[in-house]
Amino acid sequence: MLYPFEERLYRKPIEGFAFVLKPDDSLYRGGRRLVCEGVCPRAHRPLACRMFPLRVRLTANEADGTVRAEAELDPRAWAVCPLPEEGGLRAMSAPFVGAVAQAGQLLAGNTFMLEMMLAEQRLIDEMRRL
Ligand code: SF4
């Protein structure tokens, strides 16, 4: 799933990257899902792919209205990535884990991003409960 505004980076064809954008309103109105063929130039991979197999978990502080972002294992990774079984977060480099958290913190400062990330978090939490 592309983050809000990210589809602007994929309006034109990219050499060596076969993909289509599909409408997907599951997280936010006007959302776009990038469907690839499993190969892309590293410099052009979408943000969610850059974070995978991690994702951003947001925790709201009711008292002061702030939101804190942390990196966590994406539960969807278990089906396709060997790293979760290789020690989870401990198997990832600390700079990578920190960079995902930092990106999440920066994104959470934008209302559109924040709403999308919270919508995704609700879906992830529902999935965990099943
Ligand atoms: S990183 Fe992998 S899943 Fe993401 S766009 Fe590239 S080929 Fe597709």
Side-chain angles (χ1 to χ4, degrees):
M1 187 73 186
L2 296 178
Y3 281 72
F5 313 113
E6 196 181 9
E7 86 283 355
R8 293 177 185 181
L9 300 173
Y10 300 101
R11 284 183 183 162
K12 294 181 184 165
I14 297 171
E15 194 178 336
F17 192 1
F19 68 86
V20 291
L21 296 184
K22 303 231 174 186
D24 187 333
D25 289 341
S26 60
L27 296 183
Y28 61 98
R29 191 190 306 236
R32 293 283 182 276
R33 180 173 298 276
L34 184 147
V35 181
C36 69
E37 293 185 357
V39 179
C40 70
R42 192 169 168 79
H44 291 284
R45 66 200 193 285
L47 182 56
C49 297
R50 291 169 194 252
M51 296 184 183
F52 194 80
L54 302 182
R55 63 175 301 281
V56 175
R57 171 148 297 270
L58 299 174
T59 308
N61 183 329
E62 305 282 331
D64 62 9
T66 58
V67 173
R68 188 164 60 92
E70 290 172 287
E72 69 172 5
L73 274 175
D74 190 322
R76 297 165 292 191
W78 287 95
V80 291
C81 177
L83 284 174
E85 286 188 16
E86 296 294 328
L89 274 182
R90 290 191 308 274
M92 322 276 163
S93 76
F96 173 55
V97 175
V100 170
Q102 188 182 11
Q105 196 67 58
L106 288 169
L107 290 169
N110 176 286
T111 306
F112 296 104
M113 303 291 177
L114 180 61
E115 285 182 2
M116 180 266 194
M117 292 160 78
L118 289 173
E120 185 194 46
Q121 190 158 306
R122 280 192 291 276
L123 282 182
I124 295 279
D125 289 344
E126 277 171 29
M127 201 171 85
R128 280 200 170 107
R129 277 194 289 274
L130 295 177

